[in-house]
Amino acid sequence: FIFLHRVLWQHKIRSWNWETEMNGSNAKPPFGKGAVFIEWLAMAYDKLSCLFSFIEKILCVCLGICMAAMASLLISQVVMRYLFSSSVDGAWELARLTFVSALLLGIPVALRRGLHVGIDFSIGSRKPTAKLLIKIVRVLLVGALFVIVLDKSFVLYKLSADEMLNSISLSKNVFYLAQIIASAVCILFCAESILKYFSEYRKETTGEPSEG
């Protein structure tokens, strides 16, 4: 509430005028009175972008740790087997855990960077308002999917709490921790995408230079 009050107060002080920024024309602001709401969302994106970038950096660090741990475990297991005719207890289980964790934690990173496969043939030739609505509907559908995944992940986490791994004393529900985290962060990044689309829409309709 403090953040929202601060954003709205800054908006009140600045008294931004949509029609004035549209090159002095008499064109009506997009969505009519909703221009204030669109600007508020754009300002919220500007304020929160650093937070989302910080979360992405944390995920990238976790990804690096998981990949390094997986490679170290597999290499040590191969060396122990072929040179010393022995093995590291729990190496395969831990390597599988780090591989699954890296795979799942990479999903929100790819989602935020736009590295997932997408088709935009139905958006490119549309008007700005139509493109905005299509993008929002698309993100809402993706977000709904991750909400379902998050809910089912909690269910599986609870059901597998009593099952133990074969070679190490860990519950099998550890495999669902990364899935829960990844789904929650994906939902957060979907909310960021909506704010970003409104920010891009404002820049497109007012003639401001957009990012990238």
Side-chain angles (χ1 to χ4, degrees):
F1 287 106
I2 295 175
F3 169 76
L4 295 178
H5 178 270
R6 182 179 179 183
V7 172
L8 291 174
W9 180 251
Q10 288 179 353
H11 166 73
K12 183 178 181 180
I13 294 176
R14 190 174 61 171
S15 65
W16 178 76
N17 190 326
W18 194 301
E19 294 185 9
T20 302
E21 290 198 10
M22 295 181 70
N23 300 322
S25 64
N26 295 323
K28 294 182 179 180
F31 290 131
K33 296 182 180 179
V36 176
F37 176 70
I38 293 175
E39 189 213 355
W40 179 81
L41 292 177
M43 292 176 62
Y45 172 72
D46 295 336
K47 295 288 185 180
L48 295 173
S49 58
C50 294
L51 175 61
F52 294 124
S53 298
F54 179 71
I55 295 175
E56 181 185 352
K57 289 180 181 179
I58 293 178
L59 290 176
C60 290
V61 171
C62 294
L63 275 170
I65 294 174
C66 289
M67 295 299 292
M70 180 185 67
S72 301
L73 288 168
L74 292 178
I75 291 173
S76 63
Q77 184 75 338
V78 171
V79 171
M80 291 295 294
R81 281 186 176 275
Y82 284 93
L83 296 183
F84 302 99
S85 299
S86 181
S87 63
V88 179
D89 293 337
W92 295 119
E93 295 284 358
L94 291 175
R96 186 168 61 125
L97 176 60
T98 53
F99 172 74
V100 172
S101 299
L103 180 65
L104 293 173
L105 293 178
I107 295 176
V109 176
L111 179 65
R112 186 171 192 265
R113 296 183 180 182
L115 300 178
H116 55 285
V117 178
I119 302 176
D120 61 352
F121 68 91
S122 63
I123 300 178
S125 60
R126 304 278 181 176
K127 294 182 179 181
T129 303
K131 287 194 293 185
L132 175 65
L133 294 177
I134 293 174
K135 289 180 179 179
I136 291 177
V137 171
R138 180 186 64 188
V139 172
L140 289 177
L141 291 175
V142 174
L145 174 63
F146 283 115
V147 169
I148 296 174
V149 173
L150 180 62
D151 178 65
K152 299 303 179 182
S153 299
F154 273 114
V155 174
L156 293 174
Y157 179 83
K158 294 178 181 179
L159 292 176
S160 59
D162 298 332
E163 301 179 14
M164 304 298 295
L165 297 175
N166 296 327
S167 55
I168 51 179
S169 57
L170 285 176
S171 175
K172 288 186 177 181
N173 60 3
V174 295
F175 283 94
Y176 297 103
L177 284 177
Q179 187 171 343
I180 293 173
I181 296 173
S183 300
V185 177
C186 282
I187 295 172
L188 184 64
F189 285 167
C190 285
E192 182 204 12
S193 296
I194 294 178
L195 297 178
K196 180 181 178 181
Y197 293 150
F198 275 105
S199 178
E200 293 175 347
Y201 176 76
R202 188 195 69 172
K203 293 177 180 179
E204 185 177 1
T205 53
T206 58
E208 295 181 27
S210 58
E211 299 178 0

